[in-house]
Amino acid sequence: MNPELQRNAWLELGPHRRIAGPAVLLLVFALFGAGGEAGDWRARLVGPAYVLSFVILYLYGAHQAAESVAEEVRDRTWDLQRLSALGPGAMTVGKLFGAPMFAWYLGIPCLVVLAFASSAVPNAPHPGWLVVTYAAGAIAVHGASIGLALQEARREARAGRRLGVLVMLLPLLLAMWVLPLADRGAAQGLAWHGRYFDGLTFLALSACAFAAWAAFGAYRGFCRELQVRTLPWAWPGFALFLAFWLAGFASEGGGFARAFTGFGLLAALGATYLALYSEPTTAMEIRRVSAAFARGDAVRAMEEMPLWPTTLVLAFAFALAAPLAWQGFGESLGLDGWRELTDYVARAPLALVLAALRDGAILVFFASAARPRRVVTTALLYAALLWWVIPGLLAAVGLAFAAGVVNPFFGGGGTRAAIILGVQAAIAVALAASRWRRHHGPKG
């Protein structure tokens, strides 16, 4: 048996919990089934089953999954775990299904009650697909929680202490997507990539796909922690999958190429910023990548590379494809000034990617200091100043031209924005490279 899974079973499923947990659930469901107005008692269990399944599997389960890493960082046992004989696959299974084991021990009966009680409600969603949706969504949340906890453990040990509580926001955001569709309206169906799907069936299959990606993301996180070398294809691969998934809802009206390019750009930029500010980017990592490239070992350089440059390159590809994909967009709408609109949607993607390159260079600049401190916080502060505070103040005092120079999206066309942000990115890259060479580059 998986040692990590067995250890979590000993910790999570003690004799008292194994007896008291189901007993409490039985009393709660008995309370709701016995009370209320006359009618089928099973229908009165649907609401409590929904709520308990979400609270136990999503909120409590996500907290336990994140705490499985954060607690070890707090107790200073994480380094011992990293030195154990467990591989990344065994560690992933042990943490993903072992840490929230008590949540599953209580959540599975709640899902069974939900499936049983929903059969008494007219026009209720199919109980099998409903259970699959909830279970797969829970696995997705648990995997994402472990991935975030691993990132925080690498970046700052103290942050890992707080993540077990903060990560509970993730299930709340997911509930905004899952719960409205997991009701009677889910059976209405939807169109995706030109094909018609039953709503709940599509939701369940999508949840399974995201659960697989989350579990694989946790696995790749453990690969990094256990020093198992991997090529950084998974992060841009997930961005491509997300773009394809989102484009399916909009491809019928505007064409697949146009939808895939737009959502691909947004997914790649979102993944870039998420990795940029959550993953540690240090001067030592840059030195390892630089040294690998210097000796001609491109594979090793990519293995040592942070994740955010991989999706930044992908975003550049989508930005360069935008003029072709969005050609004639403004003219097709029949609006006045369609030439300006076409220029904006064709060139603004490149401007956004250049802005991401500038923000990445700013973070590298601060990470390359002789004694870097609070790199991510400082980089976020400067990004906020450039994106919002400084141009907002300049525009407020009537200096609209100066505001457009700092943030060209305050006014002007896409070509102008791309030129200005290209100059800003070049300056930021030059400053970051100069500081890195001065403090950490090869001597002599």
Side-chain angles (χ1 to χ4, degrees):
M1 183 178 180
N2 186 310
E4 181 66 18
L5 194 64
Q6 189 174 24
R7 184 180 74 90
N8 280 295
W10 289 338
L11 294 175
E12 296 293 323
L13 294 180
H16 179 260
R17 282 188 164 193
R18 291 201 303 267
I19 298 173
V24 172
L25 282 182
L26 180 62
L27 291 175
V28 171
F29 284 122
L31 174 64
F32 282 97
E37 300 176 357
D40 194 331
W41 60 272
R42 295 176 297 173
R44 294 194 290 269
L45 299 180
V46 173
Y50 268 120
V51 174
L52 287 175
S53 299
F54 177 76
V55 171
I56 294 173
L57 286 176
Y58 285 66
L59 296 184
Y60 179 70
H63 176 269
Q64 291 299 100
E67 278 292 298
S68 66
V69 175
E71 185 177 3
E72 293 196 25
V73 173
R74 180 170 60 248
D75 296 340
R76 304 184 185 277
T77 59
W78 181 235
D79 289 337
L80 296 177
Q81 281 277 60
R82 295 169 63 185
L83 294 174
S84 67
L86 289 178
M91 187 72 77
T92 303
V93 173
K95 295 291 188 186
L96 183 60
F97 297 103
M101 187 174 293
F102 186 61
W104 285 109
Y105 183 70
L106 298 181
I108 290 177
C110 291
L111 293 179
V112 172
V113 172
L114 177 60
F116 170 74
S118 63
S119 62
V121 179
N123 300 321
H126 190 279
W129 288 119
L130 187 63
V131 170
V132 171
T133 302
Y134 260 77
I139 294 174
V141 170
H142 299 171
S145 302
I146 292 174
L148 290 172
L150 288 171
Q151 291 288 71
E152 293 299 327
R154 294 181 65 226
R155 185 166 65 87
E156 183 185 4
R158 290 175 298 175
R161 303 178 184 180
R162 301 185 296 268
L163 192 67
V165 177
L166 295 180
V167 81
M168 292 175 66
L169 295 176
L170 183 64
L172 293 178
L173 296 176
L174 185 64
M176 298 173 63
W177 172 56
V178 173
L179 294 182
L181 293 178
D183 57 8
R184 298 177 184 179
Q188 296 177 358
L190 51 84
W192 187 71
H193 286 294
R195 296 174 178 267
Y196 183 82
F197 293 88
D198 174 76
L200 186 57
T201 303
F202 178 82
L203 181 63
L205 296 177
S206 297
C208 290
F210 280 102
W213 274 108
F216 186 67
Y219 167 78
R220 293 301 287 264
F222 283 116
C223 284
R224 284 203 164 197
E225 286 296 311
L226 300 177
Q227 304 299 313
V228 176
R229 296 177 184 176
T230 57
L231 292 174
W233 59 265
W235 192 236
F238 175 70
L240 287 173
F241 165 77
L242 185 61
F244 178 80
W245 187 79
L246 291 172
F249 299 102
S251 59
E252 186 174 357
F256 172 75
R258 184 174 292 175
F260 183 67
T261 302
F263 284 116
L265 176 72
L266 295 177
L269 284 175
T272 299
Y273 276 104
L274 179 60
L276 179 66
Y277 294 123
S278 65
E279 184 185 32
T281 301
T282 64
M284 186 58 66
E285 288 183 325
I286 300 172
R287 174 180 286 182
R288 288 198 295 265
V289 174
S290 176
F293 272 120
R295 62 176 180 266
D297 192 351
V299 174
R300 182 60 184 274
M302 287 189 290
E303 291 173 347
E304 298 286 353
M305 185 181 298
L307 292 178
W308 64 268
T310 62
T311 46
L312 182 61
V313 172
L314 183 62
F316 264 111
F318 280 115
L320 295 177
L324 296 176
W326 291 82
Q327 187 177 9
F329 171 73
E331 185 178 5
S332 65
L333 295 178
L335 301 175
D336 294 335
W338 60 267
R339 293 182 183 274
E340 292 78 5
L341 180 60
T342 299
D343 170 75
Y344 191 81
V345 298
R347 299 288 183 262
L350 182 59
L352 287 172
V353 177
L354 289 170
L357 176 61
R358 177 203 65 190
D359 295 340
I362 290 174
L363 185 138
V364 173
F365 175 82
F366 290 112
S368 301
R371 295 180 178 178
R373 296 185 62 186
R374 303 186 183 278
V375 174
V376 173
T377 303
T378 308
L380 279 171
L381 174 62
Y382 275 80
L385 290 173
L386 292 172
W387 276 106
W388 175 50
V389 178
I390 294 177
L393 290 174
L394 291 173
V397 297
L399 299 176
F401 177 80
V405 171
V406 178
N407 185 351
F409 291 106
F410 266 63
T415 302
R416 175 174 177 267
I419 293 173
I420 292 175
L421 286 171
V423 173
Q424 292 183 12
I427 294 173
V429 169
L431 290 175
S434 175
R435 177 179 250 195
W436 183 83
R437 284 193 299 267
R438 184 167 67 251
H439 293 298
H440 306 281
K443 305 301 180 183

